[in-house]
Amino acid sequence: MYRKTYFLYYCGLIFSMLCGLSAMAQGQLYNERIPFINANKVWTFGRHAGLDFNFNPARAFESAVNTFVSSASLSSPATGQLQFYSQGNSCFNRDHKPMPNGSGLLGNPFNNGQRADGGTWQGVCILPSLEKPGQYYLFSLGATNAGTYSSRLYYSIVDTILDRGYGDIIPGKKNLLLDQNLSECMIGIPGNNCDLWLLLHDNRSARFKAYHIDYRGISSNPVISDVGVAGCYNLAALTVSPDRKMLSLVASTASILPGSVIAGLQLFRFDPETGMVSDGLSINNKWTSSSCFSPDGKFLYVNYNDTNTSSIVQYELATYSAAAVRASETVIDTFRRNESRALKLYDGKVYVSMMSSGNLGQINNPNRKGLACDFQRTGLALGTNREARFGLSAEVVLPFPKDTIHTTVLDTLICSSTGSQNISALALAVRPLSGLFIWDNGSTEPVRTVKRRGKYWVFYKGDCHSYIDSFIVGGSDFTFDLGPDTTVCAPENFSLSAEVPGSTSYLWQDGSAGQRYDIYQSGKYWLSIAKDKCILTDTVRVRYLNVMQDLGADTAICNDVRLEMRLEARIPPEPGTRVLWNTGLESTTIDAREFGTYWVEVRNERCLGVDTITIAKVSCSCRVDVPTAFSPNHDGLNDIFLPQIESGCVTAYYTLSIFNRWGQRIFLSSSPDAGWDGTFNGIPADIGTYFYALQFEGSIYKTKYTRKGDLTLIR
């Protein structure tokens, strides 16, 4: 009951704050909102110039930019502290160091402080990504001076989380081409639906292009508006009124192509709902370098340059009519040519870049008519050897919030297996957003450290939407171990296994499932076990050694052949293998030149392989000696008639038959060792002549041998 009351209390507090934020957003001009003021608090521009409006008056510092015109810098919408900045061809972090992936940006390559004609008037623009908080689009637009330079528009994506929080361009998200054949004007404008518009203009036609940016990214097809003077827009600049409903477009007379119309100063209406531009008014065709609206949108300030002078002029916008606007023209101040260039509205004042001094001019009361606006030529000092030149830091715009607050619940599971409710200090954090943070314990910091398991949640308010993010710290207390790295000797059977009661899945490195995995070769093996939404993984290396030996089958060699046989041990590729033959050699092979038995022993760690081979000597041709007479008188000499077959001859199918003179067989033997003793049916045979027949298969070649003849029996 206590937890439920606790939760409802904070829900009530959040609801009250949301209502206040929503009401505050209604009717507020986009450049008066605190996140916008903070996001634009630090400027970097010109020749190493920088201004930090976190101080009053603004404090000058030395920046890394060196440009004649274009630059842009982003500060934290929450704190106003510098995040990163760019002059179009490179990107610097808050310590004024190039980001690791921040060099070589395309789109504005000549904007390097070396050529006054090389930069783009509005060549750099920084807009937030509405898809992923903490990420920003960095747009870089090429110059179009008489068509000499490329007018292509590229963008890269900077993530302020990368490089330890110093920010970097995301790999693969650099120098992405968006459009081409454009003029030198580019601004961001908040839409009506927590979205943004990137507004551009074609180089040589009366065509506006508005690219829509929302939580899905940048639209591939821009909104097209054909309106205004069809002239030359090589050098041009755009500005939008604080209520986002009126545009001013200025173009200079420099580098006009033959036959082109000078566009000069024009006014338009803008619809932040659709991105459409309409109702163009051509005020004049003077060489115009910059313009900006007053904070209340009732006046327009324009900087003109002619052959000999520069001037700042004020126009009234009470009546939307070209004639009425022209008639209201009031010169605020006049300078020598190119003395004043860029105008920028910020936090209730209009600032003016002054070429020949180390100061910015400023209009202190831009909502007042005529000279009552109070222009000062030396408003802010930039410091020694720093100049504003032709440009000021481009405006960073943020999405304008909708009245309806959207809530998204994002669950995050963090598993721990410590075996208790207490855990090591764990930092829970949300991505950096502007606005409000409230944790369930009342903390308003973006990071919270917890030391116990449980469920934690935080509410945070971004530029567009509000979120409730919950962190579940915990999970199952389980662990498993596949064991240490090991060596397996073939032909042993080896398997890995693990068992976690209550687990939901087992996944091995090859995608197979199950508690047991059989190993047949060396490699790295891992198992992931899931339980209660937590996944634990263990890895083991198995060294599978096969040192088994096979010298071949025992063999026989003819006794009249010289023995030369090479025996080879099987050596695995693993290092540390040792070989030993019975001859004492430790080589992979040996040459057997003597008959006998050989063995080899191969060892690696605890694995041992042994094999033996016997090489025998055999007769390959069988010589047979048959006696012609014998005397079976039991005197121990020639008592048996037995053919003599050469020693070593292997016989088969042996038969020895003895016949008398009438052809009667009186003796038969099937053994090479059994001869005739001179008897027939146990009675001594008569002295005389007898006949023999010998047959057998002999030698390793199984040759058939046949011998026939007569023999004499003597007593």
Side-chain angles (χ1 to χ4, degrees):
M1 185 64 183
Y2 175 77
R3 288 175 59 90
K4 184 179 293 186
T5 305
Y6 185 78
F7 181 79
L8 290 177
Y9 166 75
Y10 281 108
C11 282
L13 176 61
I14 291 170
F15 179 76
S16 299
M17 290 185 171
L18 292 183
C19 291
L21 290 171
S22 178
M24 183 175 64
Q26 300 179 36
Q28 190 179 31
L29 302 176
Y30 83 90
N31 56 2
E32 292 180 350
R33 298 177 58 236
I34 294 299
F36 173 89
I37 297 295
N38 287 340
N40 290 275
K41 270 195 173 180
V42 181
W43 300 3
T44 58
F45 55 96
R47 181 174 178 268
H48 301 304
L51 285 174
D52 189 343
F53 287 86
N54 286 289
F55 302 92
N56 188 17
R59 180 177 296 179
F61 65 91
E62 182 177 347
S63 71
V65 298
N66 187 14
T67 174
F68 272 91
V69 278
S70 309
S71 62
S73 56
L74 169 77
S75 300
S76 167
T79 66
Q81 299 304 307
L82 179 64
Q83 298 292 293
F84 67 90
Y85 58 96
S86 173
Q87 61 188 23
N89 60 355
S90 55
C91 192
F92 305 92
N93 63 26
R94 62 177 179 264
D95 281 350
H96 314 290
K97 305 295 184 182
M99 290 181 176
N101 193 30
S103 60
L105 301 183
L106 301 178
N108 200 16
F110 298 98
N111 200 5
N112 57 9
Q114 302 301 316
R115 298 181 55 177
D117 63 343
T120 307
W121 277 22
Q122 292 179 322
V124 189
C125 184
I126 298 173
L127 295 177
S129 166
L130 308 185
E131 178 185 6
K132 294 182 179 179
Q135 294 185 4
Y136 292 84
Y137 297 109
L138 174 57
F139 296 95
S140 184
L141 176 61
T144 60
N145 194 354
T148 303
Y149 310 129
S150 168
S151 59
R152 294 182 176 182
L153 173 62
Y154 296 87
Y155 73 94
S156 305
I157 301 179
V158 178
D159 193 333
T160 56
I161 295 297
L162 297 179
D163 193 26
R164 300 169 292 115
Y166 282 85
D168 196 8
I169 294 176
I170 300 173
K173 300 296 183 180
K174 179 179 178 180
N175 290 331
L176 305 177
L177 180 63
L178 183 60
D179 208 338
Q180 57 187 344
N181 299 322
L182 302 167
S183 69
E184 296 193 6
C185 57
M186 171 175 60
I187 61 170
I189 304 175
N192 281 350
N193 299 289
C194 217
D195 52 359
L196 298 169
W197 297 100
L198 179 68
L199 190 62
L200 306 150
H201 198 282
D202 273 358
N203 186 12
R204 299 169 194 169
S205 71
R207 172 168 291 183
F208 287 89
K209 292 182 176 180
Y211 282 91
H212 190 225
I213 301 175
D214 61 10
Y215 68 93
R216 293 166 293 190
I218 305 173
S219 63
S220 57
N221 297 314
V223 175
I224 303 296
S225 301
D226 288 308
V227 59
V229 177
C232 182
Y233 292 90
N234 282 349
L235 306 182
L238 273 166
T239 187
V240 64
S241 62
D243 64 359
R244 304 170 294 139
K245 296 181 179 180
M246 190 179 299
L247 297 173
S248 169
L249 173 62
V250 300
S252 115
T253 59
S255 306
I256 297 299
L257 296 176
S260 297
V261 176
I262 300 172
L265 170 64
Q266 299 177 77
L267 294 175
F268 303 89
R269 296 192 187 278
F270 180 74
D271 185 354
E273 180 73 28
T274 64
M276 292 295 296
V277 181
S278 61
D279 298 336
L281 298 180
S282 179
I283 307 304
N284 57 49
N285 61 355
K286 295 180 181 180
W287 181 359
T288 311
S289 61
S290 181
S291 67
C292 76
F293 291 87
S294 62
D296 59 10
K298 294 180 179 180
F299 298 100
L300 178 70
Y301 292 88
V302 180
N303 185 87
Y304 288 120
N305 287 276
D306 58 25
T307 304
N308 299 311
T309 62
S310 297
S311 59
I312 298 175
V313 174
Q314 182 193 76
Y315 292 101
E316 291 187 56
L317 305 176
T319 302
Y320 192 76
S321 152
V325 172
R326 289 191 204 102
S328 70
E329 180 179 303
T330 301
V331 177
I332 302 302
D333 206 344
T334 303
F335 321 86
R336 67 172 183 243
R337 185 175 183 269
N338 285 336
E339 179 69 14
S340 66
R341 274 298 184 134
L343 304 173
K344 178 176 179 178
L345 171 65
Y346 176 68
D347 201 13
K349 294 183 180 181
V350 174
Y351 296 88
V352 184
S353 64
M354 308 295 292
M355 277 294 293
S356 62
S357 77
N359 288 270
L360 290 189
Q362 65 186 49
I363 301 174
N364 295 311
N365 301 306
N367 286 338
R368 294 184 180 180
K369 183 177 179 179
L371 299 181
C373 69
D374 185 21
F375 171 65
Q376 294 177 258
R377 287 195 177 191
T378 55
L380 284 175
L382 301 180
T384 306
N385 297 323
R386 301 171 198 159
E387 300 174 5
R389 291 178 171 166
F390 290 175
L392 294 174
S393 190
E395 189 175 77
V396 177
V397 300
L398 304 176
F400 207 56
K402 295 179 65 176
D403 292 342
T404 303
I405 300 298
H406 298 276
T407 299
T408 302
V409 177
L410 305 173
D411 288 332
T412 303
L413 180 67
I414 305 173
C415 295
S416 174
S417 58
T418 60
S420 69
Q421 284 296 105
N422 295 324
I423 60 175
S424 300
L426 182 65
L428 307 179
V430 294
R431 290 185 67 92
L433 295 171
S434 62
L436 174 69
F437 299 89
I438 300 180
W439 290 86
D440 53 65
N441 66 346
S443 171
T444 57
E445 298 298 323
V447 178
R448 179 181 176 188
T449 300
V450 298
K451 296 184 177 181
R452 287 184 62 82
R453 297 184 179 185
K455 184 173 182 180
Y456 305 88
W457 59 263
V458 60
F459 163 85
Y460 52 101
K461 172 73 174 65
D463 289 324
C464 289
H465 307 299
S466 299
Y467 301 86
I468 294 179
D469 198 354
S470 61
F471 299 82
I472 301 174
V473 182
S476 295
D477 290 322
F478 75 96
T479 185
F480 72 95
D481 186 5
L482 292 178
D485 294 346
T486 188
T487 298
V488 179
C489 304
E492 294 179 19
N493 294 323
F494 183 75
S495 62
L496 298 171
S497 63
E499 182 178 0
V500 175
S503 59
T504 55
S505 69
Y506 293 81
L507 179 65
W508 294 90
Q509 75 289 330
D510 62 353
S512 61
Q515 298 178 13
R516 179 188 176 94
Y517 191 90
D518 294 327
I519 304 296
Y520 300 101
Q521 61 184 4
S522 299
K524 182 172 70 173
Y525 298 86
W526 57 259
L527 171 63
S528 291
I529 300 179
K531 180 181 179 182
D532 297 335
K533 298 183 180 180
C534 289
I535 298 177
L536 291 184
T537 300
D538 191 31
T539 301
V540 64
R541 291 184 180 274
V542 176
R543 189 182 183 206
Y544 196 86
L545 286 178
N546 185 355
V547 295
M548 297 177 63
Q549 301 300 305
D550 184 6
L551 296 178
D554 293 344
T555 188
I557 304 296
C558 298
N559 56 10
D560 59 351
V561 176
R562 181 180 180 183
L563 175 60
E564 289 186 355
M565 179 180 291
R566 174 156 292 184
L567 302 178
E568 183 174 2
R570 179 184 176 276
I571 309 300
E574 287 79 0
T577 301
R578 300 189 305 275
V579 183
L580 179 64
W581 295 87
N582 63 309
T583 61
L585 295 177
E586 298 179 354
S587 58
T588 302
T589 62
I590 64 169
D591 292 323
R593 292 188 174 90
E594 297 181 1
F595 294 98
T597 298
Y598 296 85
W599 57 257
V600 66
E601 178 182 283
V602 177
R603 184 185 299 274
N604 190 306
E605 293 184 5
R606 66 179 185 85
C607 300
L608 176 65
V610 177
D611 194 29
T612 300
I613 185 173
T614 298
I615 305 173
K617 179 172 64 175
V618 298
S619 296
C620 296
S621 60
C622 297
R623 187 175 69 253
V624 181
D625 292 327
V626 182
T628 58
F630 79 112
S631 56
N633 54 8
H634 306 293
D635 62 357
L637 297 174
N638 297 321
D639 288 332
I640 302 295
F641 174 78
L642 180 65
Q644 299 297 310
I645 301 175
E646 181 180 6
S647 175
C649 179
V650 179
T651 61
Y653 307 110
Y654 178 94
T655 59
L656 172 63
S657 300
I658 304 297
F659 300 91
N660 59 22
R661 68 183 65 183
W662 294 283
Q664 180 184 13
R665 183 163 60 187
I666 61 175
F667 177 77
L668 175 64
S669 172
S670 60
S671 171
D673 297 324
W676 183 38
D677 61 357
T679 65
F680 176 59
N681 291 332
I683 300 173
D686 295 336
I687 297 173
T689 300
Y690 293 84
F691 301 93
Y692 70 88
L694 175 65
Q695 291 181 333
F696 64 90
E697 285 185 2
S699 83
I700 61 175
Y701 303 113
K702 299 182 180 180
T703 303
K704 294 183 180 296
Y705 289 86
T706 301
R707 296 287 188 274
K708 294 182 178 180
D710 55 64
L711 62 96
T712 301
L713 189 154
I714 303 173
R715 298 267 183 204

